[in-house]
Amino acid sequence: MIRTTRKRLLVGLAAAGVLGVGIAAPTVALADDKSPAPSASTGADQGQRHADRQAEFAEALAKELGVPADKVTAALEKLREQRQADRPERPQPPSTQDRQAALKERLDQAVKDGKLTQEQADAVLKAAEAGVFPGPGGAGHRGWHGQDGKPGE
């Protein structure tokens, strides 16, 4: 009986040790990583890398076709401009003020319909203005917009 208990104890300790190493090893490896996170690079750096790749592509294409690189670069730029002109412009998302005005209208309608009291509607509006709700302009997920719903802030 004592032997069975010892065996179980030893097996349990061994399992705990393996589990501990399995959890600790990746944690230590991540802590030692000194490289910057991918999101740490700035938009200017990304833009420069993109421009460099485009230039390398134009040079390689020019070499393959046997034409001057500046002629290929000009042709690619012309095609890019035509493509931009053919593409419809993205609609701008509503501003924070527009979203709050629409929310106020919906809340006023809910009060009028008897679904909310005026106090409840006021509380929701106050919470929205304070940034309690998630989404662009809120305290939660901001999407690609900043605090005021403006890109890049």
Side-chain angles (χ1 to χ4, degrees):
M1 189 95 165
I2 294 175
R3 257 190 161 162
T4 306
T5 305
R6 270 191 198 160
K7 283 183 182 178
R8 286 185 180 174
L9 179 64
L10 289 174
V11 168
L13 287 174
V18 169
L19 183 62
V21 169
I23 292 173
T27 304
V28 171
L30 287 174
D32 287 342
D33 188 14
K34 302 276 192 271
S35 63
S39 62
S41 61
T42 63
D45 291 342
Q46 290 175 346
Q48 184 60 43
R49 285 196 307 266
H50 180 71
D52 292 343
R53 283 193 309 269
Q54 290 293 330
E56 289 174 15
F57 174 73
E59 288 175 20
L61 186 58
K63 183 178 178 184
E64 184 68 28
L65 295 174
V67 295
D70 58 338
K71 193 171 188 179
V72 172
T73 303
L76 288 173
E77 185 60 35
K78 179 180 175 186
L79 290 172
R80 191 175 300 117
E81 288 172 3
Q82 287 175 350
R83 192 170 140 212
Q84 288 287 1
D86 292 342
R87 189 180 309 166
E89 192 171 320
R90 285 184 180 176
Q92 289 294 324
S95 69
T96 301
Q97 292 81 14
D98 292 341
R99 286 192 310 273
Q100 287 178 348
L103 176 61
K104 183 163 177 25
E105 287 177 21
R106 289 193 310 268
L107 290 172
D108 289 344
Q109 186 62 45
V111 169
K112 183 179 176 185
D113 294 343
K115 295 179 180 179
L116 291 175
T117 65
Q118 187 60 50
E119 293 79 24
Q120 291 170 326
D122 291 342
V124 170
L125 193 58
K126 185 176 180 181
E129 290 171 354
V132 172
F133 299 121
H141 172 72
R142 291 187 182 169
W144 58 280
H145 295 288
Q147 187 73 19
D148 296 324
K150 297 175 188 168
E153 288 187 356

